[in-house]
Amino acid sequence: MNKKNRSFSILLTGQSLADIGDILYIVSVISIIYRLTNSAISTALVPFIITSSMLISSLLTPIFTTKCPLNRLLTISQGCKTAVLVGLASYVEWVGAKPIVVYIYVMIAIIALLDGCANPIRQSLLPHYVEEKDLLRANSIAESVIQSIQVGSWFVGSSLLILFTPSQLLWVVVFLFFLATVLLNLLPDVPWKQSQQTKKRQLLVEGWQTILQSPVLKIAARMDLLESIAGAAWVAAILLVFVEEALQVSSQWWGYLNGIFFIGMIIGSMICLKWTSVVDRKKAVFICGGALLSAIFTLFFAFSPTALLALLCSFMIGICGQLKNIPQQTIVQISVTKEKLPTVYTSLNVIVTGVFGISSFILGILSEWYGIRMVFVVSSMMLLVVSLIAYKNKKLFT
């Protein structure tokens, strides 16, 4: 195994452990909050706090990327998350049945702030540890692993609550975070330039400037914005209402639809991995086709008369989404220099996170006024526009 392959393996393993820990952490804190408050609103505050904190963190990340190499920044972020989580687990364990919920919210916000810079940094690190010709294959492997973790960890996390209390599960997460920190610390330093004279304001807008100056990044940003609106239809609260009101089946089907969607994403990633050369040559076709098919299957999903048909549509949406997302991500990674990638990804992350949060709220209102099926019709229309934008600009994706 050469040095770059070894570095990629360390990065993927470290982030996989962190991702497993993140899901178990969410399962734990939501269970703790609900047990303490018996309030759906108090529990719903958890994802809201996490999303808001990650948005703030994404805005500030460009400043931190000039202070040290990206790999060290990722390690520091993971190490600090571990330290804060030790504090959270200790507090819940020490106080017992009567912890102050506000304190828990504060620690959740701090962990989310530290986590907000992790995703853009990880995506920016990949081109440093993988040859450009192998990027699409590496993205396919990474996506396959990430989605497999999503499927397995949510199931295992819920099952572990049978064996452990939520506070005990937090200590399992501490152990996983610690292992992830140790592994990420083994990553070799990547090249970086310390820009002490660069104004903070300039650092904050650098990613946006790069996007505006690059035709392919401008198109990718527009597509990400519309996809964030479309993706907001799939938040837990909306999907659960769809299952119970539109499909009129038990809430267990919410889990089935989620699970089959992630399985579809895994298969989509494996298709890209199996036929890497084909996907690489036909990136424009896969981006346009993946978006169009996602729009079609989302529309079918909106008017599904049976739960089984909805399940099939969810599966196909997962496949088609990955067939579009992986080549699109590869294009973003090769469209700018490695040094500019962190600021580009943080800017794109701000778009996705911000628009997703606002859209979730608006689509929730839309479901109240026009019915739950209309939410997925809107999602389908957004994806159709994405496919049209991709087709109109297909020359940029070759």
Side-chain angles (χ1 to χ4, degrees):
M1 181 181 292
N2 62 40
K3 186 177 179 180
K4 285 207 167 186
N5 286 342
R6 180 175 175 273
S7 299
F8 172 65
S9 299
I10 292 172
L11 176 64
L12 187 57
T13 306
Q15 276 303 123
S16 296
L17 289 171
D19 288 345
I20 295 170
D22 283 335
I23 294 172
L24 298 184
Y25 157 72
I26 296 296
V27 170
S28 302
V29 294
I30 287 178
S31 300
I32 289 169
I33 295 294
Y34 188 73
R35 176 173 56 83
L36 291 173
T37 65
N38 286 320
S39 166
I41 295 175
S42 298
T43 307
L45 272 176
V46 173
F48 175 77
I49 290 170
I50 291 173
T51 303
S52 301
S53 299
M54 291 182 73
L55 178 59
I56 294 169
S57 180
S58 295
L59 287 168
L60 298 176
T61 296
I63 296 174
F64 302 128
T65 57
T66 64
K67 304 300 180 183
C68 65
L70 291 178
N71 57 290
R72 288 191 197 171
L73 190 57
L74 186 61
T75 305
I76 291 169
S77 169
Q78 188 63 46
C80 291
K81 276 176 60 180
T82 307
V84 177
L85 190 64
V86 168
L88 175 60
S90 301
Y91 175 71
V92 172
E93 194 80 32
W94 174 59
V95 176
K98 296 182 179 180
I100 299 174
V101 176
V102 174
Y103 289 170
I104 298 177
Y105 284 150
V106 169
M107 284 187 270
I108 289 171
I110 294 171
I111 291 172
L113 281 169
L114 292 164
D115 206 26
C117 63
N119 284 336
I121 290 174
R122 176 177 59 185
Q123 291 168 320
S124 302
L125 275 173
L126 203 59
H128 288 280
Y129 296 137
V130 177
E131 299 289 347
E132 186 174 311
K133 63 183 178 64
D134 297 323
L135 259 180
L136 196 142
R137 177 179 172 81
N139 281 317
S140 301
I141 293 172
E143 286 295 317
S144 297
V145 172
I146 290 168
Q147 302 311 327
S148 297
I149 287 169
Q150 290 282 342
V151 174
S153 296
W154 281 109
F155 174 76
V156 172
S158 302
S159 302
L160 285 175
L161 286 176
I162 300 172
L163 302 174
F164 302 101
T165 65
S167 58
Q168 289 172 336
L169 193 55
L170 280 179
W171 288 109
V172 175
V173 179
V174 168
F175 177 69
L176 290 171
F177 277 9
F178 175 75
L179 288 180
T181 305
V182 171
L183 277 173
L184 294 175
N185 192 50
L186 299 176
L187 288 171
D189 283 349
V190 298
W192 71 292
K193 292 181 180 179
Q194 188 173 14
S195 50
Q196 295 177 339
Q197 297 178 349
T198 305
K199 294 181 179 179
K200 291 181 180 179
R201 182 181 176 184
Q202 185 177 338
L203 289 170
L204 293 175
V205 300
E206 185 179 294
W208 302 103
Q209 291 173 337
T210 304
I211 290 172
L212 290 174
Q213 291 166 3
S214 168
V216 68
L217 289 179
K218 280 197 290 187
I219 297 302
R222 290 175 195 167
M223 291 165 66
D224 280 351
L225 188 151
L226 292 169
E227 284 182 279
S228 296
I229 299 173
W234 298 88
V235 298
I238 292 176
L239 192 57
L240 187 58
V241 173
F242 182 84
V243 165
E244 294 185 345
E245 291 187 3
L247 298 180
Q248 296 184 343
V249 291
S250 70
S251 57
Q252 287 179 321
W253 280 86
W254 170 78
Y256 300 155
L257 289 172
N258 262 325
I260 201 71
F261 173 77
F262 284 119
I263 290 172
M265 292 186 80
I266 293 169
I267 292 176
S269 300
M270 292 176 70
I271 290 172
C272 289
L273 182 60
K274 176 70 175 177
W275 289 285
T276 302
S277 58
V278 176
V279 177
D280 200 30
R281 288 198 310 270
K282 304 288 185 179
K283 287 193 284 284
V285 173
F286 278 88
I287 292 171
C288 298
L292 178 60
L293 289 173
S294 294
I296 292 170
F297 284 114
T298 301
L299 190 62
F300 285 161
F301 181 89
F303 295 105
S304 297
T306 66
L308 284 175
L309 182 57
L311 203 67
L312 176 62
C313 290
S314 184
F315 175 68
M316 293 306 300
I317 292 166
I319 292 177
C320 298
Q322 285 299 83
L323 292 179
K324 172 203 162 292
N325 291 337
I326 290 174
Q328 182 177 324
Q329 180 166 309
T330 304
I331 286 172
V332 170
Q333 289 170 336
I334 63 177
S335 63
V336 294
T337 61
K338 295 173 184 177
E339 290 73 26
K340 290 186 177 181
L341 269 180
T343 56
V344 168
Y345 268 122
T346 50
S347 298
L348 292 175
N349 198 51
V350 167
I351 293 172
V352 171
T353 307
V355 172
F356 183 85
I358 296 169
S359 300
S360 300
F361 178 71
I362 294 173
L363 291 180
I365 295 174
L366 187 69
S367 69
E368 290 286 330
W369 290 354
Y370 299 103
I372 194 66
R373 291 187 186 274
M374 183 56 63
V375 172
F376 291 94
V377 172
V378 171
S379 176
S380 175
M381 294 302 101
M382 293 298 104
L383 290 170
L384 179 61
V385 175
V386 169
S387 69
L388 292 174
I389 291 174
Y391 180 76
K392 184 180 177 181
N393 298 276
K394 60 182 182 292
K395 289 183 179 179
L396 294 174
F397 299 133
T398 53

